[in-house]
Amino acid sequence: MQKGKGRTSRIRRRKLCGSSESRGVNESHKSEFIELRKWLKARKFQDSNLAPACFPGTGRGLMSQTSLQEGQMIISLPESCLLTTDTVIRSYLGAYITKWKPPPSPLLALCTFLVSEKHAGHRSLWKPYLEILPKAYTCPVCLEPEVVNLLPKSLKAKAEEQRAHVQEFFASSRDFFSSLQPLFAEAVDSIFSYSALLWAWCTVNTRAVYLRPRQRECLSAEPDT
């Protein structure tokens, strides 16, 4: 029998194909990722090894286009590409945050910036990044009540606790949002709605990576990591 024509060879090829599919489908050709790469390059980020990809079962992520070695650095982002509380304080929101009492939490600062920049649309310097964020999330707090009721008792309690937490977060932040009215032509209530804050809250809580910054007096003592 000719080499590579037998049953064992066919099984091996199928396994290799399955393994290839599990690595994900490269999406770097999509316009939103082309714009994001240009934006990152303008902010001094250089990388040719990683590509955005869609992975079966887990969704979007980054795919290495070469083999990785033990101890090799995978990605390094310059501070100019990071959205942190320092980013927010250096922005047009900084003056409002520093004078607000009691000091806003780091989470509130980040959420406010995200909502404001999303509202700015094409005028936002962060537009290429904002464009690749999900339009909606499937966190427990986003589930409809009839779906939450189907969860096991312990998970249902956690989901309801999370919803109550975000609702309280929104209610306690409304006065701060009102103080930002001079920055907007529209009413702040229409910009910083519950749905807008929920989107920003989910964005921060599903996309944050650990970073220990210096403590700022204009923000609350809540750990800003």
Side-chain angles (χ1 to χ4, degrees):
M1 181 181 292
Q2 187 176 350
K3 187 177 181 181
K5 296 294 185 181
R7 179 172 177 270
T8 301
S9 179
R10 290 196 299 272
I11 293 173
R12 187 179 295 116
R13 283 198 301 272
R14 281 198 295 270
K15 286 183 177 179
L16 286 172
C17 288
S19 175
S20 176
E21 289 174 2
S22 69
R23 289 199 296 267
V25 178
N26 193 319
E27 295 193 330
S28 58
H29 63 282
K30 292 188 174 181
S31 60
E32 60 266 34
F33 292 119
I34 292 173
E35 291 303 311
L36 179 65
R37 184 171 287 278
K38 290 179 182 176
W39 181 81
L40 288 168
K41 186 176 181 180
R43 290 171 176 247
K44 311 303 182 185
F45 172 69
Q46 298 291 334
D47 180 84
S48 58
N49 183 43
L50 299 174
C54 185
F55 297 89
T58 57
R60 191 177 65 193
L62 285 175
M63 175 174 66
S64 175
Q65 301 184 95
T66 61
S67 297
L68 297 173
Q69 304 302 315
E70 181 180 352
Q72 178 183 343
M73 181 180 292
I74 298 175
I75 186 170
S76 177
L77 284 166
E79 188 177 357
S80 57
C81 296
L82 303 180
L83 202 173
T84 67
T85 49
D86 281 349
T87 309
V88 180
I89 292 169
R90 287 194 300 264
S91 75
Y92 51 90
L93 294 173
Y96 293 85
I97 290 173
T98 54
K99 69 182 181 183
W100 188 256
K101 302 299 179 189
S105 68
L107 176 60
L108 178 57
L110 290 170
C111 287
T112 303
F113 185 80
L114 282 169
V115 173
S116 179
E117 289 295 300
K118 186 180 181 183
H119 174 72
H122 69 277
R123 293 178 286 109
S124 172
L125 296 177
W126 290 80
K127 182 178 182 294
Y129 170 67
L130 296 172
E131 285 293 304
I132 66 160
L133 292 175
K135 302 298 184 283
Y137 290 92
T138 55
C139 305
V141 68
C142 301
L143 299 178
E144 296 294 332
E146 54 267 28
V147 176
V148 173
N149 288 333
L150 298 174
L151 296 174
K153 188 175 180 180
S154 58
L155 289 180
K156 179 182 176 182
K158 288 289 185 182
E160 291 173 340
E161 179 184 340
Q162 190 178 83
R163 181 182 295 274
H165 172 74
V166 177
Q167 288 175 340
E168 169 57 28
F169 179 57
F170 173 66
S172 63
S173 304
R174 297 187 72 175
D175 286 345
F176 173 68
F177 296 148
S178 295
S179 74
L180 305 177
Q181 186 61 71
L183 294 172
F184 303 97
E186 303 88 338
V188 288
D189 286 348
S190 64
I191 300 171
F192 296 93
S193 62
Y194 176 75
S195 60
L197 187 67
L198 176 61
W199 171 83
W201 187 91
C202 290
T203 297
V204 173
N205 282 280
T206 60
R207 271 144 182 81
V209 294
Y210 183 85
L211 176 70
R212 185 181 294 280
R214 63 183 183 278
Q215 180 65 43
R216 285 184 170 272
E217 292 183 1
C218 60
L219 295 173
S220 69
E222 177 185 319
D224 175 14
T225 51

